[in-house]
Amino acid sequence: VYVGKVYYICLINKISMKGTYVFLADGFEISEALTTVNMLRRGGVNVKTVSIYDDRIVTSSNRIPVIADMAFGEFRASTSFGPCLKTDVMIFPGGMPGSSNLAAFGKLMDIMQQHYAEGGTLAAICAAPSVVLGILPGLEGKKMTCYDGFEEALTAKGVEYVKEGVVIDGNMITGRGPGWAVEFGLAILAHVKGQEVADKVKAGLML
């Protein structure tokens, strides 16, 4: 019985994830999600999109259905969980009610909090820095950006709001909105693969 209890505790604790994933909920901003995936795959990152539902189909805020690489159950079954690195990234696109739907999914938020606490990276853009990352404890003094009008919830938690396209503070990357989706994706790519790789992708896009 004692061994069983110890094993159960280990299963609870090992919920941070390995790899790079973009999490999708109905109402997500499609340009932020897929542009980010595009930048990362151009740079050789094996990023996967994950539906938070039991099936892979997720509908964007402008009613475009997208087939994710995996449903949430498939993500839990196939992902390696345990101690993570800063190059392991959980990515949250914005859009409403997509951001609220992500934040309301407790199983995902548990993983996010453990992942960040163990040194993994979180990246969010548009409404998601406020609505999703805003649930994290200990945000005092962190530099973050978000979609205009969502900053009050962050500053109320002691965040230093920076009105820039992309803001990087340690293992947290935030973007202001869809107009900065390319820069947001490139910033994550530089974080995972290095600035030289990101610069090469940027040059290939003639930016």
Side-chain angles (χ1 to χ4, degrees):
V1 176
Y2 179 74
V3 173
K5 287 183 178 179
V6 171
Y7 178 66
Y8 178 69
I9 291 170
C10 289
L11 286 179
I12 292 176
N13 289 336
K14 290 185 177 181
I15 59 173
S16 55
M17 44 134 272
K18 309 282 286 182
T20 301
Y21 296 87
V22 178
F23 295 91
L24 305 178
D26 286 340
F28 73 96
E29 171 52 53
I30 195 166
S31 63
E32 295 166 351
L34 299 189
T35 299
T36 300
V37 171
N38 187 14
M39 296 303 104
L40 292 171
R41 289 188 179 173
R42 283 174 180 266
V45 177
N46 185 28
V47 57
K48 302 283 187 173
T49 54
V50 180
S51 162
I52 69 166
Y53 307 113
D54 293 333
D55 61 70
R56 297 184 181 187
I57 299 176
V58 191
T59 303
S60 75
S61 58
N62 45 7
R63 300 179 301 280
I64 301 173
V66 170
I67 302 174
D69 293 314
M70 56 183 70
F72 192 76
E74 295 172 308
F75 161 73
R76 287 304 306 259
S78 63
T79 302
S80 175
F81 289 86
C84 55
L85 304 172
K86 71 174 186 177
T87 50
D88 298 316
V89 190
M90 298 181 72
I91 304 169
F92 306 98
M96 292 295 283
S99 296
S100 295
N101 288 336
L102 289 172
F105 188 41
K107 291 180 181 179
L108 178 60
M109 294 299 96
D110 288 345
I111 294 172
M112 179 188 76
Q113 293 191 62
Q114 187 74 17
H115 178 79
Y116 186 64
E118 292 187 3
T121 295
L122 301 178
I125 186 170
C126 194
S130 177
V131 177
V132 179
L133 303 191
I135 75 168
L136 290 167
L139 290 177
E140 296 85 357
K142 294 293 292 186
K143 293 181 180 180
M144 299 174 66
T145 192
C146 64
Y147 194 80
D148 294 11
F150 283 83
E151 62 271 17
E152 186 175 340
L154 291 176
T155 56
K157 298 197 72 172
V159 169
E160 181 182 340
Y161 170 70
V162 183
K163 196 171 185 176
E164 293 182 1
V166 177
V167 174
I168 303 169
D169 189 343
N171 58 335
M172 184 177 288
I173 302 169
T174 52
R176 188 173 168 195
W180 287 273
V182 170
E183 288 85 349
F184 177 71
L186 290 172
I188 300 170
L189 177 59
H191 184 82
V192 175
K193 301 279 282 188
Q195 190 61 51
E196 184 177 349
V197 173
D199 288 343
K200 185 176 180 180
V201 169
K202 185 175 181 178
L205 296 169
M206 296 187 288
L207 295 175

